[in-house]
Amino acid sequence: MELEIKNVSHTYKNGKKALSEISTSLTPGVYGLLGPNGAGKSTLMNIITDNLRPTAGEVSLDGNVIWKNSNAYRARLGYMPQQQGLYSSFTGTRFLWYMAALKGLSHREAKTRVNELLELVNLKDAADRRIGGYSGGMKQRLLIAQALLNEPDVLVLDEPTAGLDPKERIRIRNFISEIAADKIVLLATHVVTDVECIAKEIILLKQGRILKKASPMDLIREMDGLVWEFLIQPEEMAGVQKKYLVSNIMMTDAGMLVRAVGNGEQFPAERKKAAANMEDVYLYRMEADIG
Ligand code: ADP
Ligand code: MG
């Protein structure tokens, strides 16, 4: 199974160019679409889910252009949009039944699937309570469940952990990696930790362009020699943050320890090389002027 994005560009009616010449190919596994707000993540997802026709380029699944085979494609697609209203007076069960009807599942299919999914997303106990009383995490899990009703081969999740506390984030993340087998999962986020451990590949998107697409390991490996730590005096802090790409500042017994990305020579002489992590990758790729 292969989802191919070919030379996709999109300019909104107001003249805003949101995507420029996006080309990439996705196979089963989790892809993290990572980029700051405004990078074009939701625009790309709206195009991939056939909710928005790009101004140029095309998207195909196994060679079939998705908007030429719209019904067949939708039957294989699950989508959790970034903004989605939930009917707060509905119960979790009723919402899923409603969505199952919209997706054209038969009564029998719906019955089985709704029960399975409530179990899977761990909402069985809350299934007959009103959504209005759900926590943020419960709502997100319910929205993921609706995206899974039709057992999709392609699952698109737009900021599924938005607004969640750290514990709920971890739960959702683990859960996504569990359900990902045999599916193409594309998960958009601006939070590095949402995808660094579960993504097969990370796609770094900035100002409508793909800066980089690679496995987390390769991205980190490429940072060798680009992450440094050095001690500073507290009064140097403001200057240091202006001068360098600082990924972290930590109070230690020896003083303030700065972690910064760059090729080394610009940092103080007593710098020490540090092992890179995904946060460093993100900072370096997004902020450094490396084209
Ligand atoms: P992200 O999801 O990465 O935050 P978006 O795809 O939502 O990015 O937005 C990309 C760019 O397109 C932003 O500059 C945004 O303001 C603009 N944009 C998004 N939706 C519209 C729209 N409907 N009309 C005009 N501009 C839009
Ligand atoms: Mg978005």
Side-chain angles (χ1 to χ4, degrees):
M1 187 166 50
E2 184 187 16
L3 186 73
E4 200 186 0
I5 301 162
K6 235 193 282 176
N7 300 322
V8 164
S9 296
H10 191 71
T11 305
Y12 283 104
K13 288 205 179 74
N14 63 2
K16 170 76 204 175
K17 183 150 200 184
L19 294 174
S20 306
E21 294 282 319
I22 300 285
S23 289
T24 191
S25 149
L26 312 180
T27 54
V30 178
Y31 292 84
L33 182 62
L34 192 58
N37 287 327
K41 304 182 295 297
S42 294
T43 303
L44 184 58
M45 293 194 142
N46 276 315
I47 291 168
I48 289 175
T49 55
D50 194 20
N51 288 298
L52 178 69
R53 197 66 76 81
T55 42
E58 61 184 35
V59 179
S60 49
L61 182 64
D62 294 331
N64 300 308
V65 175
I66 60 171
W67 42 85
K68 290 184 184 155
N69 304 268
S70 201
N71 288 343
Y73 181 64
R74 274 156 200 268
R76 298 178 64 186
L77 175 76
Y79 179 34
M80 175 187 176
Q82 183 167 14
Q83 261 123 26
Q84 187 165 346
L86 274 169
Y87 305 90
S88 54
S89 64
F90 278 27
T91 64
T93 306
R94 181 142 179 248
F95 174 73
L96 289 181
W97 270 97
Y98 173 73
M99 293 305 288
L102 287 185
K103 288 177 192 223
L105 269 70
S106 70
H107 185 90
R108 180 200 282 253
E109 283 171 321
K111 194 167 177 186
T112 326
R113 262 328 256 165
V114 167
N115 279 322
E116 280 173 9
L117 285 169
L118 285 167
E119 182 98 50
L120 185 73
V121 301
N122 201 8
L123 282 176
K124 205 130 212 175
D125 294 341
D128 297 321
R129 279 165 41 200
R130 282 164 184 255
I131 297 169
Y134 281 16
S135 70
M138 291 163 80
K139 286 181 185 163
Q140 297 298 83
R141 279 184 273 142
L142 187 63
L143 288 171
I144 297 176
Q146 66 76 28
L148 292 168
L149 276 166
N150 56 339
E151 304 190 58
D153 294 326
V154 179
L155 180 62
V156 177
L157 306 168
D158 199 348
E159 310 251 4
T161 62
L164 301 187
D165 65 38
K167 215 169 130 189
E168 287 175 326
R169 277 180 180 275
I170 294 168
R171 266 183 86 159
I172 297 269
R173 198 193 302 153
N174 292 343
F175 165 70
I176 290 167
S177 94
E178 273 164 33
I179 57 173
D182 307 329
K183 289 186 206 314
I184 295 172
V185 180
L186 183 64
L187 188 164
T189 182
H190 59 275
V191 182
V192 171
T193 49
D194 279 352
V195 287
E196 61 182 342
C197 299
I198 63 168
K200 163 168 102 165
E201 287 195 318
I202 291 187
I203 301 168
L204 291 171
L205 195 70
K206 182 183 178 184
Q207 291 173 356
R209 292 177 190 277
I210 295 181
L211 293 182
K212 196 89 193 167
K213 174 176 174 265
S215 72
M217 250 229 272
D218 285 343
L219 287 171
I220 286 172
R221 204 174 290 135
E222 287 169 8
M223 292 295 288
D224 189 38
L226 291 168
V227 186
W228 300 87
E229 289 181 343
F230 47 88
L231 289 164
I232 58 161
Q233 298 301 315
E235 62 271 19
E236 293 176 281
M237 190 156 117
V240 159
Q241 274 179 312
K242 228 178 269 161
K243 209 157 57 176
Y244 307 132
L245 275 179
V246 173
S247 74
N248 197 24
I249 297 181
M250 208 168 64
M251 283 304 291
T252 68
D253 289 340
M256 288 182 102
L257 184 67
V258 174
R259 180 187 180 89
V261 297
N263 61 18
E265 282 120 55
Q266 75 262 47
F267 303 133
E270 65 282 19
R271 62 183 181 263
K272 284 203 176 77
K273 212 171 124 175
N277 60 38
M278 260 324 277
E279 301 273 1
D280 301 319
V281 172
Y282 187 78
L283 184 68
Y284 185 69
R285 296 281 167 198
M286 291 296 167
E287 304 291 337
D289 258 335
I290 50 173

